[in-house]
Amino acid sequence: MRKICTGCGECAAACSDKENPSEFNMGLGQRSAIYVPFPQAVPNKPVIDRLRCSYFKTGKCKFCVTKCPAQAIRLDQQMKL
Ligand code: SF4
Ligand code: SF4
């Protein structure tokens, strides 16, 4: 049974694609392809930017999946974190 995201942030830290403009700072900061949409979001759970994510662009990379301690990330189906 799939466990539920705890909001630990390990996936964002492990993401191989971190050079994406952050919407929070009017594009001045950067975020990973998997990220929490709003820093104060409740629940504090990430989403994947499919236009930036290497897996969706090339079919390779699953760093976030392998690093997630809750096994909450499924790249082959709709994310349900
Ligand atoms: S998806 Fe996994 S690694 Fe990412 S915040 Fe949730 S529990 Fe942590
Ligand atoms: S699969 Fe996508 S979101 Fe996950 S680590 Fe790779 S680039 Fe980041």
Side-chain angles (χ1 to χ4, degrees), residues 11-12 14-18 32-35 47-49 52-56 60-65 73 75:
C11 52
C15 182
S16 63
D17 188 355
K18 292 188 171 67
S32 54
I34 186 166
Y35 67 108
V47 298
I48 289 183
D49 182 344
R52 306 280 186 173
C53 169
S54 297
Y55 179 81
F56 287 100
K60 298 178 181 176
C61 182
K62 283 189 174 181
F63 288 140
C64 56
V65 175
I73 302 172
L75 295 173

Side-chain angles (χ1 to χ4, degrees), residues 4-81:
I4 303 299
C5 172
T6 62
C8 69
E10 291 285 334
C11 52
C15 182
S16 63
D17 188 355
K18 292 188 171 67
E19 298 182 358
N20 306 297
S22 170
E23 292 81 356
F24 299 112
N25 301 321
M26 294 182 285
L28 296 177
Q30 293 187 322
R31 62 160 171 76
S32 54
I34 186 166
Y35 67 108
V36 177
F38 302 96
Q40 294 84 20
V42 178
N44 191 23
K45 297 179 180 177
V47 298
I48 289 183
D49 182 344
R50 293 183 179 217
L51 297 178
R52 306 280 186 173
C53 169
S54 297
Y55 179 81
F56 287 100
K57 289 192 293 187
T58 68
K60 298 178 181 176
C61 182
K62 283 189 174 181
F63 288 140
C64 56
V65 175
T66 60
K67 291 292 184 180
C68 175
Q71 301 166 11
I73 302 172
R74 301 290 170 88
L75 295 173
D76 55 351
Q77 56 187 257
Q78 186 67 33
M79 287 266 289
K80 292 180 180 175
L81 294 175

